[in-house]
Amino acid sequence: MGSNVLLEVKSLKKYFPIQKGFWRKKVGEVKAVDDISFYIREGETLGLVGESGSGKTTTGRAILRAIEPTEGEILFNINGTLINILQLNKKELKQTRKHMQMIFQDPYSSLNPRMTVKDIIGEPLLVNGVARGKELEDRVAELMKAVGLRPEYMIRYPHAFSGGQRQRIGIARALALNPRLIVCDEPVSALDVSIQAQTLNLLQDLQEKFHLTYLFISHDLGVVEHISDRVAVMYTGKIVEIAETEELFKNPKHPYTEALLAAVPKPDPKYRETRKLLFGEVADPSNPPSGCYFHPRCPYAKDICKQEYPSLINIGENGNEHFVSCHFADKLSLAGIE
Amino acid sequence: MMQLFTKLARRKKEEIKDEKIFLASQWQLMWWKFKRHKLAMVSMCILAFLYIIVLFCEFIAPYDPWERFEDYKNAPPQLVRFYSKEEGFRGPFVYGMKQEMDMETFRKVFVEDESKKYAVRLFVRGSKYKLWGLFESDLHLFGSKDGPVFLFGTDELGRDLFSRVIYGARISLTIGLVGVFLSFILGTLLGGISGYFGGTIDEVIQRTIDFLVSIPTIPLWMALSAAIPQDWSVIRTYFAITIILSLVGWGGLARVVRGRLLSLREEDFILAARLTGASEWRIITRHMLPSFASHLIASITLSIPGMILGETSLSFIGLGLRPPAISWGVLLQDAQQVIAVAHYPWRLIPAFFIIVTVLSFNFLGDGLRDAADPYSR
Amino acid sequence: MGDNVLLEVKNLRTYFFLDEGVVKAVDGVNFKIEKGKTFGVVGESGCGKSITAQSILRILPPRGEIVEGEIIFYRDDGSVDLVKLDPKGQEIRDIRGKEVAMVFQEPMTALAPVYTIGDQIIEAILLHQNVTKEQARKIAIDLLGRVGIPKPEERVDAYPFELSGGMRQRAMIAMAISSNPSLLIADEPTTALDVTIQAQILDLIKNLQKEMGMATMLITHNMGVIAEMADDVAVMYLGKIVESGPVNEIFYNPKHPYTVALLKSIPKVGKKVKGRLESIEGMVPDPYNLPTGCRFHPRCPSYVEGTCDKAEPPEIEITTGHKVSCFLYGGR
């Protein structure tokens, strides 16, 4: 791991209690995020893929402390000093959050319909005392230009904009404080196909221009492959595989990754008959199976898979990292996508 | 060429129209949506009219509501006429009244005396009054110098029912507002605390509301108002009643506030504001309050009729305001016996006003509620 | 073709008359669905693909009206024009659910929450088949098994909320196929589902189709799903079919600039593009203010001034069955 690591997550856990009855007695736990560790290098995009209930959104929010993690360490590198975000008090957290922002999935609920675009994009500047008045207006105009919106529109309300434009407003708001890290939580899932491409291009342009680091959360493998440098695959609160994008897609080492890649419908009729089907349903994070959570659906499962959860180990060759959590990671030969 | 110009002009106009929508704040959008609700618009006009009457009731009422016309007890409403048999059109006037014995029932009844004609004029000088306790005047909207005019008839003491209904509006229409204002404060505060902090406080407040809501209203009102001393002045009783009404009525509002807060807390834009470092105070005042203010106004409007009906029912059963105070409920006390209603049906006129008011508030509230979220499609 | 046509839509126009203006949701659409084949309709939100399906079943939302066109449904004993039927009448109700069934995007809203899935399937069976209640229950259990619900004799008494999204969609499909329909309309059947579950459901639909010989009209925004499933494809943009043809023609030989751009703009798994994606500029226009001429011209890279913004391009057949509406291929 080099010195240019911007964010390091160590043994992050987020358990949601299941409460019942009048006295809210705790009757169980949903292990939404269960002991995951990863890092993001400065300037790179780490894709986080998984199906619903895999804990990818919870991970993103826990990093920003939008929800309080149960346990773990989140180390953020600010100009060489490592700060554990989970130990910050309110005031310190406010200071640190200037460096990390978020882009949301739903371009409708993420903008306050009762505020003008100027107030929405300008809010971070105003509440952090960065700019006000004319200066604020200039900065908002600058940000709007950066995301491809006409600055004249800053006096409009969000309802004047289409989904794609609204997402641009949300991006401009995230950029306002010059953050280093942006958590993108399914930023293009709610958009139409033709708008998705525009938005992805914009995110890439901005990354280059402002030297941003992205944690890109999505369920869409095509999108993740396109934008990410490295990809982490999550299943039921755990990371099952993490590697360079090309390596992961060409040479998956976890049976779940293989199945996921096989299941995606490809926009090319020649792939029709090549699909391998994964049976069963996504595991329930409040009541996960014994051993490896994936074993009930895994075509390669052996007895040991039912008993022991495999640890995440590096099986990469030639100094490349390829972390997999599978008992047979180095024995199986799995099909990727050519 | 001309065609091109008109086309350009039309496009320009459309753009301006669009731009107006794009720049519209939530209140403008709400107003545009509200305007489409015809029934609510009509109701709003009726209510505006009623409240203007409330403001100027001394001027609009032709007589002092306590003034007794000894010769005209239980007189029926007089019809304003414009044509007389002899003269044809002669401007508005009423016929005088004389008492006769009904030979079938042996009751004294009033009949129109066509020999006497009292001209009805606008801006007539009559009994003295002080408008809002400030301006002394004796000018009334209408009246007659020649003899008494009773548009709604009189009661058994010979007091003009029209003037009494007008004066009654003052108490009946304001008690709802004051009561709602009090329960609004209670409801927003407690509902806000409940929704924002959650946890044990929430649980306690919610169970309190459950308890309050589960008590049947009428017995509760009765118990509370029985505690109001008989010798209190009209004003003090009035306030005691509003407090009783609002103490019982805040629960519903508190629930609305709590529900909205809970759903708002989950909205992404609230999280976004929190992530940018906005303070709790800013999140509440800039993001949350504007988002549910419109819903709040709608539910407040919908709870006013309950207050008005509450006052009316209390006064009607004699536990609310008592004579000499005048409210629509007090006036209806005269219509308690079937016999009285059968002989003097005009005593039910206040009920008509109550129904119109309550319906108007309900329609207005419906319209507001539909317009409250102008962003939903 | 000829005898194999099951459903033919001719010049269908469905408009919505709203306070803000008239929305031409479907504006002159022609297509044929052949027996036993899968007809895919693809397009972005607002292109009119769902309204087309609702027009066929005559279940349009309020204020929506078919203003023109024919929807001819061919049966063994003659044909019927669905547009001419009373949307609340007995005849369309017999066709709906019996001969033409529908599967929706969100099974939770399509299933009644207070009845067990068994009750709902049994009701559908009793409505269209002449069987006793006990027989219907047996058929329902059999159907649930066929759509791959484990332990169907237990799940038949489950309420919709007790099932996962994928299982609910299976139950929905069981209900739809209960009366052996000759056409299944599936409106974004897998959009709300996870990738691995989506693959299962698509597979299920494919197998059932093969087994029962029914035709499917598959509506989706996902080009991948279309490539996987469809025999014939129609690409819709703002109420019009801009291009239609056999699936291989559409994917390997796309002609309309919109289809071309759409295919290029999707990030494809396993085919990483270095750098930027080719994207379609601009946004989908406001439905109240449609562009003149070809509706795609403001966003079209091959736009010719004075032609594309003046007239609507006619439909031109390039090769057998491959039709495109664009001036690039004639009609100027």
Side-chain angles (χ1 to χ4, degrees), chain B residues 112-146:
Chain B
E112 285 185 329
D113 178 359
E114 295 191 6
S115 62
K116 288 186 207 151
K117 297 189 188 86
Y118 307 144
V120 178
R121 294 277 172 267
L122 285 176
F123 305 113
V124 180
R125 306 225 166 248
S127 55
K128 278 198 162 71
Y129 61 85
K130 256 186 169 180
L131 188 62
W132 309 327
L134 292 173
F135 311 106
E136 209 163 305
S137 172
D138 57 358
L139 199 66
H140 292 265
L141 180 65
F142 70 93
S144 173
K145 282 179 190 146
D146 315 324

Short mmCIF file of all heavy atoms in Angstrom, two decimals, chain B residues 112-146:
data_model
loop_
_atom_site.label_atom_id
_atom_site.label_comp_id
_atom_site.label_asym_id
_atom_site.label_seq_id
_atom_site.Cartn_x
_atom_site.Cartn_y
_atom_site.Cartn_z
N GLU B 112 -98.25 41.60 7.78
CA GLU B 112 -97.76 42.83 7.17
C GLU B 112 -98.87 43.86 7.09
O GLU B 112 -100.00 43.55 6.72
CB GLU B 112 -97.22 42.53 5.77
CG GLU B 112 -95.88 41.85 5.83
CD GLU B 112 -95.28 41.67 4.46
OE1 GLU B 112 -96.05 41.52 3.50
OE2 GLU B 112 -94.04 41.67 4.37
N ASP B 113 -98.55 45.07 7.45
CA ASP B 113 -99.50 46.17 7.40
C ASP B 113 -99.15 47.00 6.18
O ASP B 113 -98.21 47.78 6.19
CB ASP B 113 -99.37 46.99 8.70
CG ASP B 113 -100.31 48.18 8.67
OD1 ASP B 113 -101.03 48.36 7.66
OD2 ASP B 113 -100.29 48.93 9.66
N GLU B 114 -99.91 46.76 5.09
CA GLU B 114 -99.50 47.37 3.84
C GLU B 114 -99.74 48.87 3.79
O GLU B 114 -99.37 49.53 2.84
CB GLU B 114 -100.22 46.67 2.67
CG GLU B 114 -99.77 45.23 2.55
CD GLU B 114 -100.23 44.57 1.27
OE1 GLU B 114 -100.80 45.25 0.40
OE2 GLU B 114 -100.00 43.35 1.15
N SER B 115 -100.36 49.40 4.83
CA SER B 115 -100.58 50.85 4.83
C SER B 115 -99.31 51.57 5.29
O SER B 115 -99.11 52.74 4.98
CB SER B 115 -101.73 51.20 5.76
OG SER B 115 -101.39 50.81 7.08
N LYS B 116 -98.48 50.84 6.04
CA LYS B 116 -97.24 51.49 6.50
C LYS B 116 -96.08 51.00 5.65
O LYS B 116 -95.88 49.80 5.49
CB LYS B 116 -96.98 51.12 7.96
CG LYS B 116 -97.92 51.78 8.92
CD LYS B 116 -97.47 51.46 10.33
CE LYS B 116 -98.66 51.51 11.26
NZ LYS B 116 -98.50 50.62 12.40
N LYS B 117 -95.35 51.96 5.09
CA LYS B 117 -94.17 51.58 4.32
C LYS B 117 -92.96 52.29 4.90
O LYS B 117 -92.96 53.51 5.04
CB LYS B 117 -94.33 51.98 2.85
CG LYS B 117 -95.47 51.30 2.16
CD LYS B 117 -95.44 51.58 0.67
CE LYS B 117 -96.68 51.06 -0.02
NZ LYS B 117 -97.80 52.02 0.02
N TYR B 118 -91.96 51.50 5.31
CA TYR B 118 -90.73 52.09 5.85
C TYR B 118 -89.65 51.97 4.79
O TYR B 118 -89.25 50.88 4.41
CB TYR B 118 -90.27 51.38 7.12
CG TYR B 118 -91.33 51.27 8.19
CD1 TYR B 118 -91.40 50.14 8.99
CD2 TYR B 118 -92.25 52.31 8.41
CE1 TYR B 118 -92.34 50.03 9.98
CE2 TYR B 118 -93.20 52.20 9.40
CZ TYR B 118 -93.25 51.05 10.18
OH TYR B 118 -94.19 50.95 11.14
N ALA B 119 -89.16 53.10 4.32
CA ALA B 119 -88.10 53.07 3.31
C ALA B 119 -86.79 52.62 3.94
O ALA B 119 -86.42 53.08 5.01
CB ALA B 119 -87.93 54.46 2.69
N VAL B 120 -86.11 51.69 3.29
CA VAL B 120 -84.81 51.22 3.78
C VAL B 120 -83.73 51.99 3.04
O VAL B 120 -83.72 52.05 1.82
CB VAL B 120 -84.65 49.71 3.52
CG1 VAL B 120 -83.28 49.24 3.99
CG2 VAL B 120 -85.74 48.94 4.23
N ARG B 121 -82.85 52.63 3.82
CA ARG B 121 -81.82 53.46 3.20
C ARG B 121 -80.43 52.97 3.63
O ARG B 121 -80.27 52.39 4.69
CB ARG B 121 -81.98 54.92 3.65
CG ARG B 121 -83.26 55.57 3.16
CD ARG B 121 -83.11 56.10 1.73
NE ARG B 121 -84.39 56.56 1.22
CZ ARG B 121 -85.22 55.78 0.50
NH1 ARG B 121 -84.90 54.55 0.22
NH2 ARG B 121 -86.38 56.25 0.07
N LEU B 122 -79.47 53.27 2.78
CA LEU B 122 -78.07 52.96 3.14
C LEU B 122 -77.51 54.11 3.98
O LEU B 122 -77.95 55.26 3.87
CB LEU B 122 -77.22 52.81 1.89
CG LEU B 122 -77.41 51.50 1.10
CD1 LEU B 122 -76.57 51.53 -0.16
CD2 LEU B 122 -77.05 50.29 1.94
N PHE B 123 -76.53 53.79 4.83
CA PHE B 123 -75.84 54.78 5.66
C PHE B 123 -76.82 55.66 6.44
O PHE B 123 -76.96 56.84 6.19
CB PHE B 123 -74.90 55.66 4.81
CG PHE B 123 -73.94 54.83 4.02
CD1 PHE B 123 -74.01 54.78 2.64
CD2 PHE B 123 -72.97 54.06 4.67
CE1 PHE B 123 -73.13 53.98 1.92
CE2 PHE B 123 -72.09 53.28 3.96
CZ PHE B 123 -72.18 53.24 2.58
N VAL B 124 -77.49 54.99 7.35
CA VAL B 124 -78.48 55.68 8.18
C VAL B 124 -77.89 55.91 9.56
O VAL B 124 -77.11 55.08 10.04
CB VAL B 124 -79.74 54.81 8.30
CG1 VAL B 124 -80.79 55.49 9.15
CG2 VAL B 124 -80.29 54.48 6.94
N ARG B 125 -78.26 57.03 10.17
CA ARG B 125 -77.79 57.25 11.54
C ARG B 125 -78.74 56.53 12.50
O ARG B 125 -79.95 56.55 12.31
CB ARG B 125 -77.76 58.74 11.86
CG ARG B 125 -76.96 59.52 10.85
CD ARG B 125 -76.01 60.53 11.46
NE ARG B 125 -75.08 60.97 10.42
CZ ARG B 125 -73.78 60.67 10.43
NH1 ARG B 125 -73.27 60.01 11.44
NH2 ARG B 125 -73.00 61.07 9.45
N GLY B 126 -78.18 55.89 13.49
CA GLY B 126 -79.03 55.15 14.41
C GLY B 126 -78.40 55.14 15.78
O GLY B 126 -77.86 56.17 16.23
N SER B 127 -78.40 53.99 16.44
CA SER B 127 -77.86 53.91 17.80
C SER B 127 -76.35 54.17 17.78
O SER B 127 -75.67 53.87 16.81
CB SER B 127 -78.16 52.53 18.39
OG SER B 127 -77.66 51.54 17.52
N LYS B 128 -75.89 54.75 18.89
CA LYS B 128 -74.47 55.08 18.97
C LYS B 128 -73.64 53.84 19.28
O LYS B 128 -74.09 52.93 19.98
CB LYS B 128 -74.26 56.12 20.08
CG LYS B 128 -74.57 57.53 19.64
CD LYS B 128 -73.93 58.48 20.63
CE LYS B 128 -73.78 59.86 20.14
NZ LYS B 128 -74.74 60.78 19.93
N TYR B 129 -72.42 53.81 18.76
CA TYR B 129 -71.51 52.70 19.09
C TYR B 129 -70.08 53.21 18.99
O TYR B 129 -69.83 54.28 18.46
CB TYR B 129 -71.72 51.52 18.14
CG TYR B 129 -71.47 51.83 16.69
CD1 TYR B 129 -70.18 51.75 16.15
CD2 TYR B 129 -72.52 52.20 15.82
CE1 TYR B 129 -69.96 52.05 14.82
CE2 TYR B 129 -72.29 52.50 14.50
CZ TYR B 129 -71.00 52.42 13.99
OH TYR B 129 -70.77 52.70 12.67
N LYS B 130 -69.18 52.40 19.51
CA LYS B 130 -67.75 52.70 19.37
C LYS B 130 -67.12 51.57 18.58
O LYS B 130 -67.06 50.44 19.04
CB LYS B 130 -67.11 52.77 20.76
CG LYS B 130 -66.83 54.18 21.22
CD LYS B 130 -66.06 54.13 22.53
CE LYS B 130 -65.54 55.50 22.89
NZ LYS B 130 -64.81 55.46 24.15
N LEU B 131 -66.66 51.89 17.33
CA LEU B 131 -66.04 50.86 16.50
C LEU B 131 -64.69 50.50 17.09
O LEU B 131 -63.83 51.35 17.28
CB LEU B 131 -65.91 51.37 15.07
CG LEU B 131 -65.47 50.35 14.02
CD1 LEU B 131 -66.46 49.22 13.90
CD2 LEU B 131 -65.27 51.03 12.67
N TRP B 132 -64.47 49.20 17.34
CA TRP B 132 -63.25 48.67 17.95
C TRP B 132 -62.90 49.39 19.25
O TRP B 132 -61.74 49.49 19.63
CB TRP B 132 -62.05 48.76 16.99
CG TRP B 132 -62.33 48.18 15.64
CD1 TRP B 132 -63.13 47.13 15.37
CD2 TRP B 132 -61.85 48.64 14.39
NE1 TRP B 132 -63.19 46.90 14.03
CE2 TRP B 132 -62.40 47.81 13.40
CE3 TRP B 132 -61.01 49.69 13.98
CZ2 TRP B 132 -62.15 47.98 12.03
CZ3 TRP B 132 -60.75 49.85 12.63
CH2 TRP B 132 -61.31 49.01 11.67
N GLY B 133 -63.95 49.95 19.90
CA GLY B 133 -63.72 50.68 21.14
C GLY B 133 -62.98 51.98 20.95
O GLY B 133 -62.50 52.58 21.91
N LEU B 134 -62.87 52.43 19.70
CA LEU B 134 -62.05 53.63 19.44
C LEU B 134 -62.87 54.77 18.83
O LEU B 134 -62.90 55.87 19.35
CB LEU B 134 -60.91 53.29 18.47
CG LEU B 134 -59.82 52.37 18.99
CD1 LEU B 134 -58.87 52.00 17.85
CD2 LEU B 134 -59.05 53.04 20.13
N PHE B 135 -63.53 54.44 17.71
CA PHE B 135 -64.18 55.52 16.97
C PHE B 135 -65.66 55.56 17.30
O PHE B 135 -66.39 54.60 17.07
CB PHE B 135 -63.99 55.31 15.46
CG PHE B 135 -62.58 55.03 15.08
CD1 PHE B 135 -62.17 53.77 14.71
CD2 PHE B 135 -61.63 56.06 15.14
CE1 PHE B 135 -60.86 53.50 14.39
CE2 PHE B 135 -60.32 55.80 14.81
CZ PHE B 135 -59.93 54.52 14.44
N GLU B 136 -66.05 56.70 17.80
CA GLU B 136 -67.46 56.82 18.15
C GLU B 136 -68.25 57.21 16.90
O GLU B 136 -67.79 58.03 16.11
CB GLU B 136 -67.64 57.89 19.21
CG GLU B 136 -68.84 57.61 20.07
CD GLU B 136 -68.78 58.41 21.36
OE1 GLU B 136 -67.76 58.31 22.07
OE2 GLU B 136 -69.74 59.12 21.61
N SER B 137 -69.38 56.56 16.72
CA SER B 137 -70.15 56.84 15.52
C SER B 137 -71.60 56.40 15.74
O SER B 137 -71.90 55.66 16.69
CB SER B 137 -69.55 56.10 14.32
OG SER B 137 -70.40 56.24 13.21
N ASP B 138 -72.49 56.85 14.88
CA ASP B 138 -73.85 56.33 14.91
C ASP B 138 -74.29 55.96 13.49
O ASP B 138 -75.46 55.81 13.22
CB ASP B 138 -74.82 57.32 15.55
CG ASP B 138 -74.81 58.66 14.83
OD1 ASP B 138 -74.02 58.81 13.86
OD2 ASP B 138 -75.57 59.54 15.22
N LEU B 139 -73.31 55.82 12.59
CA LEU B 139 -73.63 55.49 11.20
C LEU B 139 -73.77 53.98 11.06
O LEU B 139 -72.96 53.21 11.55
CB LEU B 139 -72.48 55.99 10.31
CG LEU B 139 -72.83 56.13 8.83
CD1 LEU B 139 -73.86 57.23 8.63
CD2 LEU B 139 -71.56 56.44 8.03
N HIS B 140 -74.85 53.55 10.40
CA HIS B 140 -75.04 52.13 10.15
C HIS B 140 -75.15 51.89 8.67
O HIS B 140 -75.56 52.77 7.93
CB HIS B 140 -76.30 51.63 10.87
CG HIS B 140 -76.16 51.64 12.35
ND1 HIS B 140 -75.79 50.56 13.09
CD2 HIS B 140 -76.30 52.66 13.25
CE1 HIS B 140 -75.73 50.89 14.37
NE2 HIS B 140 -76.04 52.17 14.49
N LEU B 141 -74.82 50.67 8.24
CA LEU B 141 -74.83 50.34 6.81
C LEU B 141 -76.21 50.58 6.21
O LEU B 141 -76.35 51.14 5.14
CB LEU B 141 -74.41 48.88 6.59
CG LEU B 141 -74.38 48.43 5.14
CD1 LEU B 141 -73.32 49.19 4.35
CD2 LEU B 141 -74.14 46.94 5.03
N PHE B 142 -77.23 50.11 6.92
CA PHE B 142 -78.59 50.35 6.40
C PHE B 142 -79.54 50.49 7.59
O PHE B 142 -79.18 50.23 8.74
CB PHE B 142 -79.02 49.23 5.46
CG PHE B 142 -79.27 47.92 6.16
CD1 PHE B 142 -80.56 47.60 6.60
CD2 PHE B 142 -78.24 47.04 6.42
CE1 PHE B 142 -80.78 46.41 7.25
CE2 PHE B 142 -78.46 45.85 7.07
CZ PHE B 142 -79.74 45.53 7.50
N GLY B 143 -80.77 50.88 7.32
CA GLY B 143 -81.77 51.05 8.35
C GLY B 143 -82.93 51.87 7.80
O GLY B 143 -82.97 52.17 6.61
N SER B 144 -83.84 52.17 8.67
CA SER B 144 -84.97 52.98 8.22
C SER B 144 -85.31 54.00 9.29
O SER B 144 -85.26 53.69 10.49
CB SER B 144 -86.18 52.07 7.96
OG SER B 144 -87.31 52.87 7.70
N LYS B 145 -85.59 55.20 8.87
CA LYS B 145 -85.93 56.23 9.84
C LYS B 145 -87.40 56.12 10.26
O LYS B 145 -87.80 56.59 11.30
CB LYS B 145 -85.69 57.62 9.23
CG LYS B 145 -84.23 57.99 9.22
CD LYS B 145 -84.05 59.36 8.58
CE LYS B 145 -82.59 59.65 8.34
NZ LYS B 145 -82.36 60.44 7.14
N ASP B 146 -88.18 55.45 9.40
CA ASP B 146 -89.63 55.45 9.62
C ASP B 146 -90.07 54.43 10.66
O ASP B 146 -91.06 54.61 11.36
CB ASP B 146 -90.35 55.16 8.30
CG ASP B 146 -89.75 55.96 7.15
OD1 ASP B 146 -89.36 57.12 7.42
OD2 ASP B 146 -89.65 55.44 6.03
#
